[in-house]
Amino acid sequence: MRRAAGAEAGWGGLALSDPGPGPEERIAARRRRIAARLDAKRREAFGEDAEPKVAEEEEEQRRSHKQIEESRQRLAKLLFDGTQMVTNIQVAADARETQRRAEEAELKLQRVEKLESEAKSSTYKFEEISSKWALAKEMTIPQELWQLLNQQQQQCALLLEEKNKLIGELQEELKNKDEQYVQAIKKQSDDIYLLLERMEEQIRIMLKTYRHKLLQIEKAFELERRELLDNNRKKWEEAIQAHNAQELEYLRARMRKVEEFEKQLNRLRVQDEEEYNSMKIQLETDVQNLERQLQQMKAIYQLNQEKLDYNLQVLKKQDEENTIIRSQQKRKLNRLHSLLNNLRTKLASQEKQFREENQSLAADCERIVGQCKEVQSRMRHFAVSDAEKFTEVWLMNEEEAKGLMRKALDADRIIHTQQLGLPWEEPRYWFLGNVGPLGHYKAKRMATKLAAEVLTESGSGGQEEEGREKKKEEVGSGEGGKENTMKVEDRLTPLRNISKKTAKRILELVSDESGFLIESKLLRPLHELGRHERTLMKLDSIFAALKIDSEDDLYQLVDFFLKYKAQEVAVSQSQGSPGGEDIMDPAEDREDGGSDAQREETKSPQSSRGSLPSVCIHADDVLKILKAFARDFDKLREKDRPAKEVLQVQDRSKDGEYWEALAHVIPEPTLKLWDALMVALEEYYEVLKRRASLLAEAAVLQQQNSELYLLLEEYVSSGVNNKLLSPPTQWMDLSLSCPGEAQ
Amino acid sequence: MRNSTIGAVWGKSEPWQLEGYRRQLEFAGSPAGKCGGDSCSQVIFLLLLLKEKWVLNRMQQPVAGDRSTVVPLLYPSQTSLAADLHYTHRIIEDPEWSLATVPHLTELCLQHIVHNFEKNPILDRLLPEHQRKVLDRLSTGLPLTVTANLISNEDYWKRCCTERWQVCDISNYGDSWKRMFFERHLENILKRFIPNTTDPNQVLELIPLCKDYVRKLEVDQFLPPVKVDQKEERDDLSDTGSEFGLSEVSVHHYDLGVLITALPHLEELHLTYGVKDCGMNFEWNLFNFTYQDCCNLAVAVKMCHNLKVFKLTRSKVDDDKTRLLVRNLLDHPCLVELNLSHNLIRDKGARAVGKLINRSRLEILDLCNNQICHLGAQALAQALAENSTLTSLNLRLNCVEDEGGEAIGRALLTNTTLKSIHLGSNNLSEPTATLFSQVLAQNTTLTSINFSCNHLGLDGGKQLLDGLADNKALTEFDLRLAEVGQETEYLIHQIVWANREAARLGSLQHPSTKPL
């Protein structure tokens, strides 16, 4: 590195020795020298630090590479410096040129200014002169004129002189410029010479340094190669020696091994021989065995071959058959495919058809449903008309039957009284009083009526009992209508069980407390009425509001009241009892009871029994009870309805009994009596008939007798008799006397 | 060697003999040249006859053959010696005679072809080795009409060139001697062409011969037409300056249009309208590049579609001519380099060139030593900001000054293609340096900047140094005579040197990694 710096310094010296460089170049050269020196110093400063590192790297990097790199850098530097030096001239020339141009521009400006000022002053002077010409015209005195002319001439000369001076100056300048131009040309040619010189010198130096560097690089390469060779040779020799030693060792080991192996071989040979012999014997036996087996195997093989041949043929045949079958199957498959397609098309068409049918059937169904509804309505209509007709027919038939019955009874009575002379009393059958079909025999009484009854009954006190009995008799004409009365009594039981008083009390309470259900219009006129009527009217409107129509509903209402009360009482009596039931519970119980008459019957006495001690219901509870009743009432009604219809149907079965009863209005003993009587009467009639015939015969005989008597008399009376030898008259007297005697 | 010596012997010893054979050969050869196979066999038969005759002649007459002819022929001479020994007793007349001195028939034929090449050039039909022999012996003085399109052998053209010119640098001509010969030949003719005096056919005749080989034309001299005596008299009378107006009509130079448009492979055109070595005969109008000349040139250049490099230097190109040229060069398909240095271009011309930059594929533009001021520089800078092809711009020796320099600096903030810029001797000062420090910090494509001979000042130099601190692309930065101070210059030089090393290493590593 230091060498490089030295070389550079030397190069700087060379540059210094260049003949006749311009000032700029000298400056540039000086600068470069300074730079080189600085560079060298810096390198020295760095070099001390860098050297150990370089030494380390040296081992990694090859020396030749380093040499090349170093040379390249130095050459590049040299080249750069050289070109710099050469181009310095151009740059200097450029600088001069720019300077010259600047100066030139300035000079030009000055010149122009000068010319302009001169032109201005000269024009001024010229104007002065020319103005004086006018003055000259006015001059009259020749001396003055002459003087003036002289003056003018002088001034003109002055002007011209000035102009000429300027021209002279400019020409001088031009000459100077020419000289400058010549100088510049000379300078430029000098520059070019310098340029050439420098170029040549640079080429020379470059060549020299290139050669030098090449030599150095080659030397470095040589050195490196030699080192490498030495190293490698050393390595090689070492390796060879090691190899030789190893070879020797191997050889010895090999010899040893060979001896060992020989021994082993001998041993092995002996062993093997023995083994061989034994093996040979064994193998021979084996061979024999195997030959035998081979024979066997051959036989088996033969057999198998034949079998296989046969099998092969069979299989071939089967294969042929299979091919045939396959072809058949294929054909069949095709056929079936076509069939399938046909069926598919058929299916599609059928589906379509069935869909259409389905549609038509749906339409039909709708139509039929309509018809059905119509038929139902018609049926209902017919049922109604049938019922009417039925009642009509019933009435007609009943009338007829009643007529017949009455006839029979009359006949029975006549028979009894007149024939048998027995006292006859009219039988009292229940059906005798019946008019119309059995199911409709009873129209329900209205709730209000019942209420009115209740109220009035309570009012009349004990009379009502009798009145009821009376009514009963009225309805069910005596003992004969036992069944009928039973029913009525069933219905009345709840009311009857509840004492009339309590019922009355309840109804009054209801009418008093639920006045809000009554329309306000109605209230006013009610005041004018009597207490009894007022209560009735109120109840009427309340029932209308609660939709209580029939007496059943009324009974239920009363019953409900009582039950509710009983419940309350039970709760109050047994405070700690677990049966803390709702208000709903009795109501539910009642629902069951409503549908089943028997249970109601069994229950109602209990409730009535329970209610009896606590008849007084508090007026405040009435509303609660009514609310609960109204809630449950609808349910109850729903449940009642089917039961009623069943009842109606049951009624029909009794028609037969009714008609049977009608038919048997004359009891069996009476009929028997009648039969016996008829037989007796028949006999009597026979007797009578014989008697009648006998009477007729007797009459005829009497007539004949009378006639014969007449005849006889005639005969007798006639002369013939006397003529006769023996007159008949003797004998006749005897016969005549006999008939007369019987009559 | 052998051929040439034999040829020499022929030429020396038996001119009288050859005459007759030559005639016969001509007689035989000419139909052979015209016709095909049959005549060829005839020719061979005749040649055989000729040889026989020649041998007989030799036997009859003692030949004063040089020893030198026999000496190089080692083996034949030995055999001949043996033959001599055998026949010595019989041939008493000429003991030195030997059969070996008789050249081969092919030699003779080739010799003849060479001699008659001008009238009957036969080359293509010969075997390659014979072709070579013929070409070696051909004279360089043969007319170009014969040789131009027939001979493509480089050795022949090398001989032509070296005989004609002392200095021959083939590397400038694409390593082709033929191309060099024709280009220089054409250049010589053009340099000596005097309009109205020289026959224009001189050039026109050459066109078909050289049009396939000329790729570059470097004409540094165009002679003006010769003046009439009357004018010369007037010259003596009047000043040199008054010449302009009078000689306008006849002062036009040779119109290159016909020539250039006829050269299909022309790629480079270097022109200088001026006279060299005029010495004391200097007159201003010798250097007059007229508007008509410019028109002709512009039209010609426009027609020349393969032109890549166009240089028109030292030709007094002013603004109008520049604009005319630019107008014709707009959208030129190939033009890559334009050199208009050492002319008289001012701002208007620079503006025109700026327009050209963005309407062509220009990569290198040289406008050094013109008179472009800041307006022109601003126009160029505007073009530069939009351009993406130009890589090198030279504005040396103009007077761009700070305004222009700053404009160019701003353009370089956005431009990413320009690699080299020369702003030497442009009267720049510190503001430009400030802006360029910014450019240096931002631009990564610039590799070379030249600020020599400006007045950047010490502060400007420091700013440039600051800007350069992070730059890794710049490899050349010329600040000589820029008044930036030695230390700054040195530090900048260090940075640039380091960048150059890095670039070199990068370029070394790059190709080394590629093959892997």
Side-chain angles (χ1 to χ4, degrees):
Chain A
M1 285 180 173
R2 274 174 217 175
R3 250 196 319 174
E8 219 156 270
W11 168 230
L14 274 173
L16 190 69
S17 66
D18 284 345
E24 282 84 6
E25 276 126 87
R26 257 177 279 144
I27 290 163
R30 211 179 304 139
R31 252 182 227 161
R32 207 163 38 253
R33 276 203 301 281
I34 290 159
R37 221 173 296 145
L38 276 170
D39 204 8
K41 264 185 200 170
R42 188 167 298 183
R43 276 184 193 170
E44 266 179 281
F46 275 122
E48 283 171 6
D49 296 336
E51 244 168 355
K53 275 185 198 168
V54 170
E56 277 170 28
E57 280 172 23
E58 211 169 350
E59 295 194 352
E60 291 165 21
Q61 261 185 338
R62 283 167 61 187
R63 193 178 299 161
S64 54
H65 278 217
K66 232 185 79 188
Q67 179 70 39
I68 289 169
E69 189 67 16
E70 194 186 329
S71 306
R72 196 197 54 71
Q73 274 181 0
R74 278 181 59 189
L75 286 171
K77 193 114 196 153
L78 209 60
L79 194 67
F80 177 73
D81 286 343
T83 42
Q84 200 87 328
M85 182 155 272
V86 172
T87 49
N88 269 339
I89 294 167
Q90 192 205 348
V91 171
D94 280 355
R96 270 203 306 277
E97 175 65 19
T98 42
Q99 204 176 344
R100 190 193 65 77
R101 278 189 191 176
E103 283 169 9
E104 193 69 18
E106 206 173 322
L107 282 176
K108 202 173 170 185
L109 213 70
Q110 281 178 3
R111 207 179 299 137
V112 169
E113 265 178 32
K114 204 170 156 189
L115 280 172
E116 274 178 0
S117 63
E118 209 280 334
K120 227 181 255 173
S121 64
S122 55
T123 45
Y124 178 68
K125 277 178 185 168
F126 179 70
E127 272 171 17
E128 214 175 56
I129 293 165
S130 52
S131 64
K132 274 183 184 169
W133 287 122
L135 209 137
K137 278 183 187 169
E138 290 166 14
M139 289 284 182
T140 47
I141 306 160
Q143 278 89 354
E144 279 182 1
L145 191 63
W146 182 76
Q147 209 171 353
L148 192 76
L149 279 174
N150 265 356
Q151 236 171 10
Q152 291 285 68
Q153 208 167 3
Q154 272 176 3
Q155 274 176 343
C156 282
L158 261 173
L159 192 66
L160 280 175
E161 206 173 319
E162 268 176 32
K163 288 278 181 191
N164 279 337
K165 209 171 113 191
L166 192 71
I167 288 164
E169 274 174 17
L170 286 175
Q171 271 175 350
E172 187 80 8
E173 220 169 292
L174 192 65
K175 214 174 266 175
N176 283 340
K177 281 280 163 194
D178 273 347
E179 274 172 25
Q180 275 178 9
Y181 175 68
V182 172
Q183 273 178 358
I185 285 178
K186 211 182 267 174
K187 178 82 186 98
Q188 278 185 351
S189 65
D190 282 353
D191 276 356
I192 286 166
Y193 279 127
L194 187 67
L195 199 69
L196 283 174
E197 249 172 57
R198 281 188 181 181
M199 279 163 115
E200 275 167 17
E201 197 167 340
Q202 206 204 344
I203 289 163
R204 219 166 44 237
I205 289 164
M206 288 304 289
L207 269 176
K208 214 167 80 185
T209 42
Y210 267 112
R211 235 171 251 146
H212 181 67
K213 289 293 157 194
L214 189 66
L215 216 69
Q216 275 190 339
I217 290 166
E218 270 182 3
K219 263 186 201 167
F221 268 114
E222 194 89 5
L223 204 70
E224 198 184 317
R225 197 172 59 131
R226 211 173 296 141
E227 276 178 14
L228 262 175
L229 268 175
D230 285 349
N231 280 339
N232 285 346
R233 196 172 291 139
K234 241 182 253 169
K235 270 187 199 166
W236 172 251
E237 275 167 9
E238 279 172 18
I240 282 278
Q241 275 180 358
H243 182 72
N244 280 344
Q246 235 172 4
E247 280 288 311
L248 267 175
E249 260 179 48
Y250 285 148
L251 197 65
R252 261 177 235 133
R254 193 162 173 275
M255 295 284 268
R256 260 203 316 278
K257 269 187 187 169
V258 163
E259 281 169 18
E260 270 178 38
F261 287 149
E262 241 168 59
K263 277 179 205 165
Q264 277 184 358
L265 270 176
N266 278 332
R267 207 170 56 239
L268 278 174
R269 201 173 292 145
V270 175
Q271 254 181 23
D272 284 356
E273 244 168 71
E274 285 168 14
E275 269 178 34
Y276 169 73
N277 282 335
S278 62
M279 188 88 95
K280 199 180 174 185
I281 294 159
Q282 201 190 331
L283 285 176
E284 272 170 3
T285 54
D286 279 0
V287 164
Q288 283 174 0
N289 285 337
L290 286 174
E291 270 177 2
R292 223 179 300 138
Q293 277 182 1
L294 183 69
Q295 293 295 333
Q296 281 177 2
M297 291 309 284
K298 267 185 186 167
I300 290 166
Y301 167 73
Q302 204 90 22
L303 195 68
N304 279 343
Q305 203 178 18
E306 278 169 18
K307 271 188 198 168
L308 286 174
D309 279 343
Y310 173 71
N311 279 345
L312 183 68
Q313 281 183 350
V314 168
L315 284 174
K316 268 182 188 167
K317 269 183 193 167
Q318 276 186 352
D319 191 40
E320 282 169 20
E321 279 171 19
N322 280 344
T323 48
I324 292 162
I325 287 167
R326 203 183 298 148
S327 58
Q328 279 176 352
Q329 291 289 354
K330 264 182 195 164
R331 254 174 279 141
K332 212 183 216 174
L333 201 67
N334 286 335
R335 215 167 51 233
L336 286 175
H337 265 299
S338 58
L339 201 66
L340 180 69
N341 285 335
N342 285 340
L343 286 176
R344 266 184 196 149
T345 50
K346 259 186 210 170
L347 178 71
S349 61
Q350 277 196 343
E351 267 179 6
K352 204 175 160 190
Q353 196 185 328
F354 282 131
R355 212 175 297 130
E356 283 167 12
E357 263 181 52
N358 189 23
Q359 280 176 359
S360 63
L361 286 176
D364 280 356
C365 181
E366 271 178 36
R367 195 161 41 81
I368 285 165
V369 166
Q371 282 177 350
C372 180
K373 274 179 187 165
E374 207 180 319
V375 167
Q376 275 179 354
S377 65
R378 212 179 289 164
M379 196 181 77
R380 227 171 287 135
H381 169 71
F382 280 130
V384 173
S385 60
D386 278 351
E388 278 173 20
K389 215 174 259 175
F390 177 73
T391 43
E392 278 172 21
V393 169
W394 181 286
L395 286 174
M396 189 182 76
N397 283 338
E398 205 179 32
E399 209 175 322
E400 203 174 339
K402 289 250 177 82
L404 286 172
M405 202 172 62
R406 209 142 301 276
K407 250 186 197 172
L409 287 175
D410 282 345
D412 194 31
R413 187 173 45 91
I414 290 168
I415 288 166
H416 272 82
T417 51
Q418 294 183 3
Q419 292 298 320
L420 300 175
L422 292 169
W424 187 82
E425 59 184 292
E426 208 173 338
R428 287 187 179 273
Y429 295 120
W430 58 269
F431 49 79
L432 291 182
N434 188 29
V435 179
L438 278 174
H440 300 276
Y441 77 97
K442 183 196 169 227
K444 279 189 181 166
R445 283 177 299 176
M446 291 303 289
T448 41
K449 258 186 202 168
L450 191 67
E453 268 174 32
V454 170
L455 288 176
T456 46
E457 271 164 15
S458 64
S460 54
Q463 290 178 354
E464 52 149 349
E465 209 83 340
E466 293 163 4
R468 181 164 282 269
E469 286 294 329
K470 240 187 251 174
K471 203 182 272 176
K472 216 200 299 176
E473 277 174 358
E474 275 173 20
V475 171
S477 56
E479 293 298 316
K482 204 192 272 178
E483 285 173 81
N484 209 352
T485 46
M486 274 295 285
K487 279 207 167 174
V488 175
E489 259 158 357
D490 273 354
R491 298 196 160 271
L492 290 176
T493 35
L495 258 193
R496 210 195 289 164
N497 289 341
I498 309 160
S499 62
K500 300 293 156 194
K501 265 189 183 171
T502 43
K504 195 193 169 189
R505 281 271 298 279
I506 289 163
L507 288 173
E508 275 174 355
L509 268 173
V510 167
S511 66
D512 288 342
E513 290 302 322
S514 47
F516 61 89
L517 289 170
I518 308 159
E519 281 178 72
S520 53
K521 269 188 219 168
L522 278 171
L523 276 171
R524 217 170 293 156
L526 280 178
H527 285 296
E528 292 158 14
L529 291 169
R531 185 177 162 268
H532 183 66
E533 277 112 19
R534 197 166 56 208
T535 337
L536 256 179
M537 288 298 283
K538 270 183 185 174
L539 275 175
D540 192 21
S541 55
I542 289 162
F543 290 158
L546 288 172
K547 287 179 185 167
I548 294 168
D549 299 329
S550 57
E551 50 183 337
D552 288 356
D553 300 336
L554 184 62
Y555 297 147
Q556 274 168 14
L557 175 67
V558 176
D559 201 27
F560 191 80
F561 262 88
L562 288 172
K563 260 186 208 162
Y564 182 82
K565 205 64 216 171
Q567 194 69 32
E568 215 170 47
V569 168
V571 169
S572 62
Q573 277 174 353
S574 55
Q575 281 286 347
S577 70
E581 293 166 51
D582 269 356
I583 308 162
M584 288 302 290
D585 280 350
E588 273 167 20
D589 286 350
R590 271 241 0 189
E591 280 169 31
D592 297 345
S595 63
D596 197 33
Q598 287 292 347
R599 269 187 72 182
E600 206 179 343
E601 232 178 328
T602 51
K603 257 194 160 181
S604 47
Q606 287 173 358
S607 64
S608 68
R609 242 179 284 140
S611 72
L612 275 174
S614 59
V615 215
C616 49
I617 299 158
H618 202 271
D620 296 344
D621 294 335
V622 174
L623 267 180
K624 266 192 242 169
I625 296 158
L626 271 180
K627 222 183 265 177
F629 176 75
R631 206 162 48 224
D632 296 334
F633 191 59
D634 288 336
K635 290 181 201 168
L636 287 174
R637 274 210 182 156
E638 291 296 312
K639 290 204 171 185
D640 274 346
R641 213 151 280 163
K644 274 177 194 169
E645 275 177 18
V646 167
L647 239 155
Q648 234 173 19
V649 171
Q650 273 179 352
D651 285 348
R652 296 268 171 242
S653 65
K654 280 178 184 170
D655 292 353
E657 281 177 35
Y658 174 64
W659 290 111
E660 202 70 19
L662 275 187
H664 294 95
V665 77
I666 309 295
E668 249 348 275
T670 327
L671 281 179
K672 273 180 190 170
L673 182 77
W674 282 12
D675 283 344
L677 186 69
M678 195 171 72
V679 171
L681 284 179
E682 289 270 325
E683 280 175 19
Y684 180 59
Y685 176 59
E686 283 299 316
V687 172
L688 286 181
K689 252 196 310 192
R690 226 181 305 145
R691 200 187 282 169
S693 62
L694 286 174
L695 283 176
E697 219 176 313
V700 169
L701 287 170
Q702 276 174 342
Q703 200 174 354
Q704 273 177 339
N705 216 13
S706 55
E707 277 176 11
L708 286 167
Y709 181 70
L710 285 169
L711 273 167
L712 212 46
E713 263 185 24
E714 231 177 78
Y715 287 146
V716 164
S717 50
S718 62
V720 174
N721 265 8
N722 282 18
K723 291 175 184 161
L724 288 174
L725 284 161
S726 52
T729 6
Q730 293 152 345
W731 302 322
M732 271 199 291
D733 283 333
L734 241 171
S735 65
L736 272 169
S737 58
C738 278
E741 278 168 30
Q743 271 177 351
Chain B
M1 281 283 277
R2 195 183 151 193
N3 289 342
S4 63
T5 48
I6 287 168
V9 169
W10 273 104
K12 257 189 248 169
S13 57
E14 292 130 0
W16 56 272
Q17 269 187 328
L18 284 168
E19 259 333 290
Y21 300 136
R22 197 177 291 156
R23 246 183 288 131
Q24 283 192 335
L25 255 181
E26 276 166 26
F27 164 73
S30 50
K34 286 168 196 165
C35 319
D38 289 350
S39 53
C40 221
S41 61
Q42 273 185 350
V43 170
I44 290 163
F45 176 69
L46 275 170
L47 283 168
L48 283 169
L49 279 178
L50 265 173
K51 192 179 180 185
E52 210 171 303
K53 241 184 189 176
W54 191 81
V55 170
L56 283 173
N57 275 335
R58 290 277 296 209
M59 282 161 83
Q60 282 166 5
Q61 283 215 328
V63 177
D66 276 354
R67 290 271 174 193
S68 62
T69 58
V70 191
V71 171
L73 308 171
L74 273 175
Y75 294 107
S77 67
Q78 275 171 1
T79 52
S80 70
L81 272 174
D84 277 358
L85 286 169
H86 200 261
Y87 291 109
T88 35
H89 62 281
R90 285 193 190 172
I91 303 162
I92 309 157
E93 299 91 21
D94 186 6
E96 289 180 353
W97 182 87
S98 80
L99 203 65
T101 52
V102 181
H104 291 281
L105 182 57
T106 49
E107 288 292 322
L108 292 170
C109 294
L110 293 176
Q111 190 72 34
H112 195 77
I113 287 169
V114 167
H115 280 289
N116 295 300
F117 200 83
E118 188 177 343
K119 289 170 191 165
N120 185 18
I122 303 170
L123 190 66
D124 295 342
R125 283 167 290 176
L126 298 175
L127 293 170
E129 48 190 317
H130 299 157
Q131 274 188 10
R132 206 175 58 240
K133 278 177 188 168
V134 168
L135 288 170
D136 282 345
R137 286 182 220 167
L138 274 181
S139 158
T140 55
L142 286 173
L144 285 173
T145 45
V146 178
T147 54
N149 290 320
L150 185 64
I151 300 171
S152 58
N153 187 295
E154 286 288 292
D155 288 337
Y156 174 78
W157 294 112
K158 185 180 179 182
R159 276 196 296 142
C160 292
C161 289
T162 46
E163 272 176 30
R164 196 162 165 189
W165 298 290
Q166 285 185 333
V167 184
C168 299
D169 187 1
I170 195 173
S171 63
N172 283 335
Y173 301 91
D175 294 328
S176 166
W177 289 99
K178 191 174 185 181
R179 183 182 151 195
M180 173 163 150
F181 181 84
F182 277 107
E183 285 179 3
R184 289 182 77 164
H185 184 61
L186 190 58
E187 280 160 17
N188 279 347
I189 287 172
L190 287 175
K191 276 180 199 171
R192 285 170 200 161
F193 191 93
I194 304 167
N196 304 335
T197 313
T198 318
D199 183 11
N201 283 331
Q202 201 181 346
V203 180
L204 295 178
E205 278 167 6
L206 201 58
I207 287 173
L209 304 179
C210 66
K211 65 176 182 183
D212 289 335
Y213 315 109
V214 174
R215 291 172 192 276
K216 183 168 87 172
L217 265 187
E218 206 168 343
V219 188
D220 55 359
Q221 165 167 297
F222 278 96
L223 294 176
V226 177
K227 278 164 279 180
V228 197
D229 293 342
Q230 191 189 356
K231 268 188 183 174
E232 278 183 336
E233 285 167 19
R234 210 179 272 175
D235 278 350
D236 292 337
L237 288 171
S238 62
D239 270 327
T240 48
S242 65
E243 194 74 55
F244 273 118
L246 293 169
S247 57
E248 250 180 32
V249 187
S250 56
V251 89
H252 302 313
H253 295 90
Y254 174 66
D255 181 8
L256 280 171
V258 185
L259 176 64
I260 288 175
T261 48
L263 297 174
H265 300 296
L266 192 71
E267 287 175 357
E268 291 191 36
L269 190 59
H270 302 192
L271 302 177
T272 302
Y273 281 81
V275 183
K276 283 171 89 177
D277 300 327
C278 58
M280 293 307 284
N281 297 324
F282 172 81
E283 284 170 22
W284 278 111
N285 68 344
L286 290 181
F287 299 89
N288 197 10
F289 178 46
T290 64
Y291 194 76
Q292 185 61 42
D293 284 338
C294 188
C295 280
N296 293 340
L297 180 64
V299 171
V301 168
K302 191 180 184 183
M303 299 303 292
C304 187
H305 294 299
N306 283 328
L307 194 69
K308 284 180 181 164
V309 180
F310 180 52
K311 296 186 181 175
L312 182 62
T313 55
R314 286 180 284 145
S315 301
K316 292 188 177 177
V317 179
D318 56 14
D319 284 343
D320 290 339
K321 289 170 190 163
T322 314
R323 283 158 75 179
L324 180 62
L325 279 173
V326 165
R327 204 182 307 143
N328 282 291
L329 282 175
L330 283 179
D331 299 324
H332 194 280
C334 287
L335 194 70
V336 169
E337 183 175 349
L338 179 65
N339 190 338
L340 292 173
S341 57
H342 308 289
N343 282 310
L344 299 171
I345 299 171
R346 286 171 186 278
D347 290 338
K348 285 182 182 174
R351 209 171 291 155
V353 173
K355 191 182 172 190
L356 177 65
I357 287 175
N358 277 332
R359 296 245 339 238
S360 69
R361 300 178 175 188
L362 270 187
E363 287 175 13
I364 299 169
L365 179 63
D366 195 341
L367 290 172
C368 87
N369 198 10
N370 278 299
Q371 293 168 7
I372 297 168
C373 291
H374 60 88
L375 287 173
Q378 278 165 354
L380 284 174
Q382 198 182 345
L384 203 60
E386 296 164 9
N387 183 268
S388 60
T389 54
L390 202 68
T391 58
S392 170
L393 176 64
N394 193 338
L395 288 172
R396 188 170 71 94
L397 271 176
N398 282 295
C399 45
V400 166
E401 295 184 332
D402 277 329
E403 286 180 51
E406 280 174 315
I408 288 171
R410 271 192 287 280
L412 285 178
L413 284 173
T414 56
N415 184 295
T416 55
T417 49
L418 198 72
K419 287 178 180 169
S420 163
I421 185 161
H422 197 313
L423 287 171
S425 315
N426 261 315
N427 210 6
L428 303 174
S429 58
E430 202 181 318
T432 312
T434 314
L435 199 65
F436 263 83
S437 74
Q438 212 176 326
V439 171
L440 284 173
Q442 203 169 321
N443 194 314
T444 54
T445 46
L446 266 181
T447 58
S448 168
I449 299 179
N450 197 326
F451 274 139
S452 59
C453 308
N454 283 303
H455 314 290
L456 299 182
L458 288 174
D459 291 338
K462 273 172 192 159
Q463 275 171 339
L464 281 176
L465 184 61
D466 290 344
L468 200 58
D470 290 330
N471 191 303
K472 299 285 174 214
L474 202 69
T475 56
E476 279 177 45
F477 198 5
D478 198 338
L479 286 170
R480 283 176 288 179
L481 299 180
E483 301 169 16
V484 294
Q486 279 187 19
E487 197 180 344
T488 315
E489 198 176 341
Y490 174 73
L491 290 172
I492 285 174
H493 177 251
Q494 290 293 315
I495 291 170
V496 168
W497 195 254
N499 282 349
R500 195 183 295 183
E501 282 295 299
R504 192 187 66 83
L505 284 175
S507 68
L508 270 181
Q509 278 171 4
H510 209 62
S512 69
T513 50
K514 261 187 183 173
L516 285 174

